[in-house]
Amino acid sequence: PRCGDPLGGSPSLTQSRHSRHLAGCAAALARFRWQRQRDLALAAEQLRLARRELGRITGHVGAEDVLDIIFRDFCVGK
């Protein structure tokens, strides 16, 4: 298993980036809880950000991630 034996207790994070992404996910979820009563669009954005942080741990890469890399690393349209 990636994070240890689930029957053996709490999983351990083996990489500091996992910890960083989980912290980012938790922060986005906290912002979601605060914003869900105020602005549904902003709350939904926080859920998207939380999912993206988890995807960076699990290896799920979405189209948005690919486009971010293309526009960050390549000179497109210049």
Side-chain angles (χ1 to χ4, degrees), residues 8-25:
S10 298
S12 61
L13 298 176
T14 57
Q15 295 186 18
S16 63
R17 73 176 185 86
H18 291 169
S19 222
R20 187 176 63 250
H21 292 306
L22 284 177
C25 177

Side-chain angles (χ1 to χ4, degrees), residues 30-43:
R31 289 187 302 268
F32 163 77
R33 290 188 65 196
W34 183 80
Q35 289 177 340
R36 70 180 176 191
Q37 300 299 325
R38 291 161 186 81
D39 187 325
L40 192 54
L42 291 176

Side-chain angles (χ1 to χ4, degrees), residues 45-64:
E45 175 65 7
Q46 295 309 315
L47 287 179
R48 188 189 69 77
L49 292 173
R51 184 208 53 85
R52 190 174 186 186
E53 290 291 339
L54 290 178
R56 289 181 173 161
I57 295 171
T58 63
H60 174 76
V61 177
E64 224 174 75

Side-chain angles (χ1 to χ4, degrees), residues 71 74-78:
F71 285 105
F74 297 98
C75 207
V76 177
K78 291 185 180 179

